[in-house]
Amino acid sequence: MFIKIDKITKKFDEIFCLKNFSMSIKKGEIISIIGPSGSGKSTILKCISGICKIDKGEISINNKRVDNLPVNERNISYVFQESPLFPHLNVKKNILFNLKKYDKEKLFFLLKKTKIENIQNKYPYQISGGENQRVALVRSLIRNPDLFLLDEPFNNLDNSNKNQLKKIIIDIIKETNTTTIFVNHETQDSLEISDKILILVNGEKKTIDTPFNIYNKPKSLKIAKMFGEVNELLIDNKKVYFRIQNLIITRKSSIKGKVMESKFMGHFYKITVKVDTQLVNLFSIKDIKKNEIIYLKVIKENQLHF
Ligand code: ADP
Ligand code: MG
């Protein structure tokens, strides 16, 4: 394994923040860490980068231990919510700060990809929040880090800036084969970006798996609900769980329901149906009138099992 985090523990004021936390990452992989606020996500990144000292455990990159090295000797780059730039230096000087030598071709590639070639002479106060994050991204990646850490980098961006930056990040990380840990609270972003998703609760790893498996074969109802809505329905006295796109309208079936609500969502209508006393949701491309009786079918092979 390229990155190995082995049973790290971190306490703040005698309270465990991370307890025996382990994970391994292959070269070039993107891992997302998802977890509630305060679960220790940022602390993991701080321990890996060296901003925080671990109490126990080991961290190694390419079979070399780094947890006893100072921050500047770990070759790890970090971009967070509002990555600060030096206010007295222009964009180019911020990017190249303290770099003795750098790959000119790579700089050209990064500037072009992030579309900031034209703002190189501007100062931080003259650029937008989205541009600030793209500068921080280039500054990190021109250093060819062994590991790239992203801590909620989209938090202060509007949707259009966020979607643009998200695409840029994925493209660059994949093209440069940069191993990355991405901390985020928006599960949709993690499903799109990651090779694997790790779920952290109270400083402990609950599960790690591919986005496909986390979404389609979650280990618990709680995890399933983190990544999208779940319908629960009693069929033949047995509770079944399934995602709402797996409930479809059919001509005849033993599951009969009454439409309670039809909500226009843009791409589709979200229909709420009452089956006996249970409420379930489904997607429909057509509007359906309230109180209409419809027949439903659950796509069996896509049921969730816990
Ligand atoms: P997350 O990024 O998942 O929201 P953090 O890693 O920032 O969570 O914090 C996890 C827990 O550790 C929180 O309860 C937080 O208050 C605590 N914590 C983080 N940093 C410190 C610190 N420097 N001193 C004391 N407690 C801290
Ligand atoms: Mg955090």
Side-chain angles (χ1 to χ4, degrees):
M1 277 294 173
F2 186 63
I3 310 283
K4 205 156 185 282
I5 296 163
D6 193 21
K7 295 193 182 125
I8 61 169
T9 289
K10 177 72 192 168
K11 278 197 241 176
F12 290 116
D13 309 321
E14 295 308 304
I15 298 168
F16 280 105
C17 176
L18 301 173
K19 205 171 182 181
N20 284 328
F21 177 83
S22 298
M23 86 171 161
S24 304
I25 314 175
K26 289 187 201 144
K27 173 93 183 109
E29 249 183 351
I30 305 178
I31 307 279
S32 280
I33 301 180
I34 288 272
S37 181
S39 55
K41 304 181 297 294
S42 296
T43 304
I44 292 177
L45 299 195
K46 286 178 190 160
C47 289
I48 297 172
S49 67
I51 301 172
C52 256
K53 218 172 149 21
I54 55 174
D55 300 323
K56 263 195 220 158
E58 283 185 17
I59 302 170
S60 56
I61 301 182
N62 218 358
N63 294 319
K64 186 180 150 220
R65 242 184 113 166
V66 297
D67 54 87
N68 39 18
L69 296 178
V71 176
N72 56 352
E73 286 174 30
R74 295 193 188 193
N75 197 22
I76 294 172
S77 287
Y78 205 152
V79 168
F80 29 115
Q81 287 181 28
E82 277 174 67
S83 287
L85 303 176
F86 294 113
H88 62 291
L89 298 179
N90 69 20
V91 163
K92 185 157 191 193
K93 286 187 174 150
N94 260 290
I95 291 172
L96 298 176
F97 183 77
N98 245 349
L99 263 188
K100 290 193 185 65
K101 53 178 192 204
Y102 64 92
D103 181 342
K104 287 207 167 63
E105 247 174 65
K106 184 163 185 182
L107 181 65
F108 181 74
F109 162 80
L110 291 171
L111 291 171
K112 200 164 160 23
K113 271 274 177 202
T114 52
K115 301 192 182 83
I116 55 168
E117 308 112 300
N118 300 330
I119 60 159
Q120 289 184 66
N121 296 321
K122 286 192 175 177
Y123 284 82
Y125 76 90
Q126 297 171 311
I127 65 176
S128 69
E131 286 169 339
N132 183 99
Q133 287 305 75
R134 285 182 270 148
V135 173
L137 189 71
V138 175
R139 182 180 59 183
S140 289
L141 294 176
I142 190 64
R143 280 149 226 272
N144 295 321
D146 285 328
L147 179 60
F148 182 39
L149 306 175
L150 285 159
D151 196 349
E152 313 215 16
F154 310 133
N155 257 18
N156 297 322
L157 301 181
D158 59 44
N159 260 347
S160 121
N161 260 315
K162 178 184 140 171
N163 289 334
Q164 207 186 3
L165 186 64
K166 191 157 68 176
K167 186 170 179 335
I168 290 171
I169 288 179
I170 303 175
D171 282 357
I172 297 181
I173 288 174
K174 286 296 170 197
E175 268 181 64
T176 54
N177 201 28
T178 306
T179 312
T180 302
I181 305 178
F182 171 66
V183 160
N184 195 22
H185 62 262
E186 285 211 23
T187 50
Q188 186 58 41
D189 292 339
S190 296
L191 289 173
E192 283 175 44
I193 289 185
S194 337
D195 293 307
K196 284 194 189 131
I197 296 174
L198 183 150
I199 299 189
L200 190 77
V201 179
N202 292 329
E204 287 185 64
K205 179 171 73 183
K206 285 289 160 208
T207 185
I208 180 166
D209 212 332
T210 58
F212 183 91
N213 283 348
I214 291 264
Y215 185 82
N216 291 307
K217 298 171 187 167
K219 290 220 164 82
S220 68
L221 183 57
K222 206 168 169 186
I223 293 176
K225 286 182 172 172
M226 286 170 76
F227 290 86
E229 279 185 59
V230 178
N231 276 324
E232 299 176 27
L233 194 59
L234 208 58
I235 302 176
D236 298 334
N237 276 330
K238 197 172 161 252
K239 189 74 150 281
V240 293
Y241 300 90
F242 49 93
R243 298 246 176 241
I244 63 181
Q245 63 271 32
N246 294 318
L247 183 63
I248 53 173
I249 298 171
T250 177
R251 270 164 172 266
K252 199 103 194 88
S253 134
S254 54
I255 312 169
K256 191 169 95 173
K258 187 172 168 186
V259 173
M260 304 306 287
E261 190 185 26
S262 171
K263 225 192 305 179
F264 179 63
M265 308 286 285
H267 295 313
F268 49 80
Y269 291 85
K270 187 172 164 188
I271 316 287
T272 305
V273 186
K274 197 170 189 178
V275 178
D276 299 326
T277 55
Q278 312 157 87
L279 289 178
V280 286
N281 292 308
L282 61 93
F283 295 134
S284 165
I285 46 171
K286 284 190 293 189
D287 194 10
I288 308 180
K289 287 208 172 58
K290 197 175 166 185
N291 292 330
E292 198 167 311
I293 301 295
I294 53 175
Y295 292 92
L296 302 168
K297 186 176 144 188
V298 179
I299 302 175
K300 234 184 159 176
E301 52 275 24
N302 293 349
Q303 274 181 33
L304 303 171
H305 301 278
F306 309 116

